[in-house]
Amino acid sequence: MEDSIFQIHLAVRYVRSSPARLQKFKECVTKEKIESKAQLVLDVETRWNSTYLMLEVTIKFQKAFELLEIEDSKYSDELSSGERFRGLPTCIDWEYARYFLPFLKVFYDTTLRVSGSLYVTSNAYMQDIFGIGLKISKWCRSVDPGLHIMALRMKGKYDKYWSNIDNINLMLFIVEVLDPRHKLEYVNWVINESFDMVLADRLKAKVKEVLVALFKQYSSFKVVLSAQPSEQTRVAMEIDVDDVDLDNEEFMKAMYQEKQARKKVVNHKTELDKYLTDDCEDDNKSFNILQWWKLNSTKYGALSMIA
C-alpha cells in the first residue's frame, strides 16, 4: 500500500515539475471530460494529512493520468528509471489509494478540529486524540497486510507523543469530565481502553486528584453543621442537654437532633460530588455546553468556575 501511494506521489510530482508537463496534463483532463477544477497538490511524505489532500484530489484525475501515459512518452520513461521507480501507477495502485483514503481522512479531519479555533471547544480534544489512538489500534489488528503495516507505523508515531502518561496534559481529561454528557465515568472508560491496566489506574488516579484539587482551589465551601438549619433543629440544638431539670422528651429530642446534625456534616456532598453522581445529559450534536453551565452555575457553584 505504501508503494502504491509513492507511485501516485511520483506521478503528481512529474506533472507539477514544469509548466509544459502541467499543460499536457490539463489537455488530458479536457479530453477525458473531467469536470473537477481541483488543483493537483504534492504531499509531504511524513505528514498523513497532506497525503490525504494529495490522494483526495489526484484520484479524481485517474483517467487523465492513464491518458497521459499515451500522450507523453517521457512520463513513462521517467517513472520507470531509477532505483525507487517501478513504472506508472497501476489499477491496483489506484484501488489501494481509494481504499486507504477514508483512513487518512480521520487524521485530516482531526487536524482541522484540533488546530482550528473555529472548529473545536476544549472538551472535544480528548475524544479526537484518543479516538485516533483507538482506531489505529483496531487497524493494527486488520487482516489486510498493507493496512496492518501502515497502522503499525502510525502507532509508533502516535505512541511517541501519547503513550507516556507523565507527559500528558491532564486538562485534556478534566475538561471532558466537565462535559455533563460524559463526566468521569466516560473519561475512565477512555483511559482503560487506551492504556494497560497499570498505567490506566495511575492515570485515573491522577485525573481524580487534579479534579479534586481544582475544585478545592475554586471553592469557598466550608464545612458547617448546616447551611440553613430548620427552625425545629435550631431550637433543639440550643437546648442544654446537661440541664438535670430537662424533661425526658426534650432531652431525647435534643440528643437526636444533635446526632442528625453531625450526620449531615459527615455525609455532606460537595458540588463536585453532586455533579459526578447526577445523571449525564443526553449526548446530541446540538448540545451547548457553555449555555448548560451558565444555567447550572448556581447548582454546582465553584465547579462552574472551573468549567
Side-chain angles (χ1 to χ4, degrees), residues 125-187:
Y125 280 109
M126 186 203 75
Q127 296 190 78
D128 279 326
I129 291 171
F130 288 94
I132 278 186
L134 293 178
K135 284 182 177 179
I136 292 175
S137 296
K138 184 177 181 180
W139 299 339
C140 286
R141 299 189 293 271
S142 173
V143 296
D144 183 290
L147 181 57
H148 173 73
I149 293 173
M150 192 71 74
L152 289 176
R153 290 185 58 203
M154 291 178 178
K155 183 167 177 57
K157 294 181 179 180
Y158 179 89
D159 289 346
K160 179 180 178 181
Y161 295 97
W162 299 107
S163 63
N164 188 341
I165 66 170
D166 294 321
N167 292 337
I168 296 178
N169 186 341
L170 296 180
M171 291 307 296
L172 284 172
F173 303 103
I174 299 300
V175 293
E176 188 66 33
V177 174
L178 296 177
D179 187 329
R181 295 168 295 176
H182 301 144
K183 301 188 180 181
L184 187 59
E185 183 176 356
Y186 177 75
V187 169

Side-chain angles (χ1 to χ4, degrees), residues 1 22 38 65 69 91 107 124 129 142 146 151 265 268 273 280 289 303-304 306:
M1 185 179 294
L22 183 58
F65 278 101
E69 179 180 356
C91 292
F107 289 87
I129 291 171
S142 173
V265 173
H268 181 81
D273 295 327
C280 293
I289 188 171
L303 196 62
S304 63
I306 304 175

